[in-house]
Amino acid sequence: MTEALEQLEGIAQVQADAIPNHVLIDHDGRHRTQEELVALLNQLIIAHGGCRAAVMKSCITAGSSAFSAPSASPLSR
Amino acid sequence: MKAVETEVVIEGSGEKYAAWTFDGQVPGPVVRVTEGDTVKFTLTNPATNKYPHAMDFHAAEIDFLNNYKAINAGETISYTFVAKKPGIFFYHCGAPPMIQHVARGMFGAIIVDPKNASAWPKADREYVLIQSEYFKNPDDVQAMFDRKFDGVMFNGGLFKYHPFVSGGGKLDAKPGERVRIFFVNAGPNEFSAFHPIGEIWDNVYESGNPANKLTGVQTYVVGPGSAAIFDVVAESAGAYPLVTHSLTAALRGAIAVLVASPEAKPATLMPMVPWKISVPQTEITPVPAH
């Protein structure tokens, strides 16, 4: 699944072993919005069952306000 | 140690900062001794440097006029002290303006382990975490006096141990391990309210002295220039972000995610120092010839 995800345009990095029971997906935001990416991922993984893509929103969701580079938009399984 | 004026990576994109350092890294190397040890210290300020530098060890009880004075480029200074009290202590440059020397990265930690190792529960894993403010312009001393920081770092990086941010890493542990955090607040100005999201500190030891034990602490204030030891046991697998609950600081860099996983590997005391960012290859980036 990691290799397949990395082939998608705009995906910078896929980490399957950083957080237990989660896959972190880092995208650059240029090719599609977060919502479009989530919809695409959920279509792709629907066959696997038990997996769900979502934009990570939590109390530690933070961008780097000190820099102009866009921050990561992690998704979770 | 050597005072080294150099660039260091401070952010996951590879952004560099003109730092002043001990031995070329921010924070400086961890010094670790045992209660009662004699420490013989020499600071070298190479002739290639532009600025004077100095060293102040909070673990030492010695005259500051003779020992902590600033030396110019091309000079050295040596002194000796006995680490009489156990704990975790701050060390930093005291050359004027000290606020700038600390803000630009001249700080680190010295651990003085207690003579009696059974003075506290044995830790399964240890980390050193040093909090400091980041000022985008290293020459804007007025901003430092005005407390106009642009971010807050752990171990010299913004979101260095935040896996949900590009380039960020994490702190690893196994479920059930006693993780001991040697926490130092380098400042130069802001207080830290250290809190483990999803957990409660099992024990907190003010200045890291086993005699100063608190139990069941949700959030503990560590002032600039101070330090404490924090023990946490994450019983179940998952993510437990360690933050300063001063949220203007946390959400601008001071978040370190402790990930508890059965697959956790051993780690160094101060991971990712220095922070090495590998730049991904793209179709327009030529691959270096071998």
Side-chain angles (χ1 to χ4, degrees):
Chain A
M1 183 170 71
T2 301
E3 286 174 12
L5 289 171
E6 284 173 343
Q7 300 306 312
L8 293 176
E9 215 174 18
I11 298 295
Q13 189 180 19
V14 178
Q15 295 183 74
D17 53 6
I19 309 287
N21 301 317
H22 286 75
V23 174
L24 302 184
I25 303 167
D26 197 351
H27 80 112
D28 61 22
R30 286 197 297 262
H31 295 83
R32 54 180 70 82
T33 65
Q34 288 181 137
E35 291 71 24
E36 287 168 345
L37 182 57
V38 167
L40 175 60
L41 288 171
N42 281 322
Q43 277 183 337
L44 291 173
I45 64 178
I46 196 168
H48 292 273
C51 297
R52 181 180 64 86
V55 175
M56 176 70 74
K57 283 184 182 172
S58 71
C59 57
I60 61 168
T61 297
S64 176
S65 60
F67 299 93
S68 56
S71 57
S73 303
L75 305 184
S76 66
R77 178 174 67 183
Chain B
M1 292 185 196
K2 191 188 295 184
V4 181
E5 296 160 7
T6 185
E7 286 192 325
V8 297
V9 171
I10 52 114
E11 203 261 346
S13 67
E15 180 87 12
K16 288 189 178 173
Y17 177 78
W20 294 341
T21 76
F22 288 109
D23 285 357
Q25 61 180 72
V26 178
V30 177
V31 178
R32 190 161 197 168
V33 300
T34 301
E35 182 186 357
D37 281 352
T38 298
V39 180
K40 294 180 182 174
F41 177 75
T42 295
L43 176 67
T44 300
N45 190 358
T48 47
N49 278 347
K50 290 184 189 167
Y51 302 97
H53 297 293
M55 174 61 97
D56 173 350
F57 276 106
H58 282 204
E61 296 174 74
I62 52 178
D63 165 52
F64 101 99
L65 278 176
N66 281 325
N67 300 298
Y68 296 167
K69 62 186 177 190
I71 54 173
N72 293 317
E75 296 180 342
T76 63
I77 186 168
S78 296
Y79 57 82
T80 300
F81 66 92
V82 177
K84 297 177 194 170
K85 295 183 173 68
I88 172 68
F89 298 93
F90 184 33
Y91 72 70
H92 62 90
C93 176
M98 188 168 92
I99 197 169
Q100 186 185 27
H101 285 253
V102 172
R104 285 185 78 155
M106 292 199 85
F107 55 78
I110 172 168
I111 297 172
V112 183
D113 287 312
K115 249 186 326 198
N116 174 13
S118 56
W120 48 23
K122 182 183 171 306
D124 300 300
R125 198 174 287 257
E126 298 176 321
Y127 289 112
V128 169
L129 267 190
I130 304 182
Q131 178 178 320
S132 64
E133 293 112 64
Y134 160 71
F135 296 87
K136 203 165 186 174
N137 182 350
D139 297 315
D140 191 350
V141 178
Q142 191 58 50
M144 297 165 190
F145 275 107
D146 292 341
R147 309 176 84 146
K148 290 181 178 172
F149 58 91
D150 297 293
V152 176
M153 306 190 283
F154 282 150
N155 289 351
L158 297 165
F159 299 114
K160 174 177 269 192
Y161 306 115
H162 194 333
F164 306 157
V165 175
S166 293
K170 56 189 167 74
L171 300 177
D172 292 304
K174 292 185 178 175
E177 281 187 334
R178 175 170 291 272
V179 180
R180 181 158 293 155
I181 309 283
F182 296 89
F183 184 82
V184 175
N185 184 1
N189 300 317
E190 302 309 311
F191 285 71
S192 181
F194 201 43
H195 170 73
I197 299 177
E199 264 294 342
I200 298 173
W201 299 119
D202 208 54
N203 294 116
V204 177
Y205 301 90
E206 171 58 56
S207 285
N209 191 316
N212 301 334
K213 179 181 174 183
L214 296 173
T215 300
V217 180
Q218 65 188 284
T219 301
Y220 189 73
V221 174
V222 180
S226 191
I229 284 175
F230 294 81
D231 279 7
V232 65
V233 180
E235 280 93 7
S236 52
Y240 301 90
L242 311 179
V243 304
T244 168
H245 226 291
S246 171
L247 297 182
T248 185
L251 296 176
R252 289 195 284 168
I255 296 172
V257 182
L258 179 69
V259 177
S261 165
E263 281 77 47
K265 295 188 176 38
T268 58
L269 204 49
M270 210 161 54
M272 295 167 65
V273 175
W275 199 353
K276 291 182 166 65
I277 304 287
S278 56
V279 178
Q281 296 294 314
T282 68
E283 64 273 16
I284 60 171
T285 304
V287 176
H290 293 283

